[in-house]
Amino acid sequence: MKSPIKNQMNTVFVHVSDLLTSVKWYCRLLGQTYEAEEVREPVYKMNINHYTGLLLDAGPRGEKKQVYPSKHPIFNFYTDEIENAYSFVKELGYNVDSPIERYDDLAFFTVKDPDGNIIMICNA
């Protein structure tokens, strides 16, 4: 049976409690700029390459969202320079959750965003 659902990830939603704080955090992490006046509740669409998008969701307007972060990474950002990425995140003063872990052809570390969501930085 052919499925009408495509074999493609479209958008990752990251639930946040303070949209502007999260936009600043993710933009710094990814080396992006933003205009504060363009950050409007309840969501902000990050500029992400390829098919998959990243939407920061502070959802419903006028209410502060209660965020319950996962104890595990919810997605990863790619790097082909794991050591430089680790140093960069440390220089930003971000909450590094784990040191670099290395396997045969895989290396990664994790960082927590302002709401405690665990994000993996990975070379695969």
Side-chain angles (χ1 to χ4, degrees):
M1 172 196 278
K2 183 176 178 187
S3 174
I5 301 168
K6 293 183 178 186
N7 182 16
Q8 170 183 318
M9 293 278 297
N10 194 39
T11 303
V12 174
F13 282 76
V14 175
H15 299 277
V16 302
S17 60
D18 183 319
L19 189 60
L20 185 56
T21 297
S22 294
V23 168
K24 288 178 187 177
W25 191 92
Y26 280 91
C27 283
R28 283 182 71 202
L29 180 69
L30 298 175
Q32 296 182 6
T33 60
Y34 68 95
E35 298 295 328
E37 58 274 359
E38 293 179 6
V39 179
R40 294 186 190 104
E41 297 281 342
V43 297
Y44 183 83
K45 183 179 178 194
M46 295 292 304
N47 182 18
I48 302 294
N49 294 336
H50 305 297
Y51 299 110
T52 304
L54 178 62
L55 194 69
L56 304 178
D57 182 0
R61 281 194 178 125
E63 295 179 25
K64 184 165 177 113
K65 183 179 256 186
Q66 189 82 349
V67 176
Y68 303 98
S70 172
K71 295 178 183 178
H72 308 285
I74 55 177
F75 64 89
N76 78 287
F77 286 121
Y78 174 77
T79 182
D80 55 5
E81 299 178 17
I82 197 74
E83 296 287 342
N84 289 341
Y86 187 81
S87 295
F88 177 74
V89 170
K90 297 280 280 184
E91 287 173 23
L92 289 175
Y94 284 7
N95 183 356
V96 176
D97 188 53
S98 73
I100 297 173
E101 293 191 36
R102 297 176 190 281
Y103 298 95
D104 292 337
D105 59 350
L106 170 73
F108 67 90
F109 65 95
T110 58
V111 60
K112 288 186 178 179
D113 79 0
D115 285 295
N117 295 305
I118 301 172
I119 310 303
M120 182 181 284
I121 311 296
C122 186
N123 69 351

